[in-house]
Amino acid sequence: MKILLPIFLFVSIIFADEGFEIDSEYICFNTHTMKQGQKYTVKKEDSVNSPFVFALKENQLITENKVIFDFKMQKEDMASYSNDGYMLLLLKNKELGLVPKKARGQVQYYFQCKLK
């Protein structure tokens, strides 16, 4: 218990600086995709029809479909979460990057998030 409180406070401070808040729900819209170094802009209507919705809970990120991503690390202005298939990067200005592990970085999806 003594270890959890400082970790929770540290994570809360980090997310307060970045704009993401613990125990909050976010809706994110795909802005662009990177495939093998090429940038592809996503049409707004396509993005609005399939948003990415998640909630931050202590050391986990949970999607609306109940897929759980565990907190992995914090590096400067980026927080990393992952599960068996994907890695999620929370960036400054409520931006989110999603990287499928099978693609080994060849495909990356970028989202702009806001509180739901």
Side-chain angles (χ1 to χ4, degrees):
M1 187 66 175
K2 290 180 182 180
I3 295 172
L4 290 178
L5 184 59
I7 290 172
F8 181 74
L9 291 173
F10 177 73
V11 170
S12 298
I13 290 168
I14 290 169
F15 285 114
D17 292 341
E18 293 182 2
F20 285 101
E21 301 172 10
I22 302 293
D23 293 328
S24 297
E25 194 170 354
Y26 291 90
I27 184 166
C28 305
F29 301 100
N30 189 221
T31 56
H32 64 279
T33 301
M34 298 290 290
K35 290 184 182 177
Q36 297 180 336
Q38 296 282 33
K39 182 178 178 179
Y40 299 94
T41 303
V42 177
K43 293 179 185 176
K44 187 167 183 154
E45 55 271 8
D46 292 339
S47 181
V48 169
N49 290 333
S50 57
F52 181 73
V53 179
F54 70 90
L56 286 175
K57 303 286 185 186
E58 294 186 30
N59 291 330
Q60 293 183 327
L61 184 149
I62 305 168
T63 70
E64 69 179 342
N65 299 326
K66 306 298 182 215
V67 177
I68 297 173
F69 294 84
D70 295 313
F71 178 76
K72 293 299 178 192
M73 66 173 233
Q74 175 74 36
K75 185 176 181 182
E76 296 178 16
D77 58 355
M78 177 194 73
S80 173
Y81 290 79
S82 71
N83 65 11
D84 291 337
Y86 298 93
M87 181 170 53
L88 292 174
L89 306 172
L90 298 181
L91 308 167
K92 286 169 69 173
N93 302 322
K94 293 185 183 172
E95 294 176 344
L96 180 140
L98 183 141
V99 181
K101 288 184 177 179
K102 286 184 180 179
R104 298 178 188 245
Q106 294 294 316
V107 179
Q108 304 163 9
Y109 303 95
Y110 292 91
F111 298 80
Q112 185 62 54
C113 303
K114 63 181 182 179
L115 282 169
K116 185 172 180 188

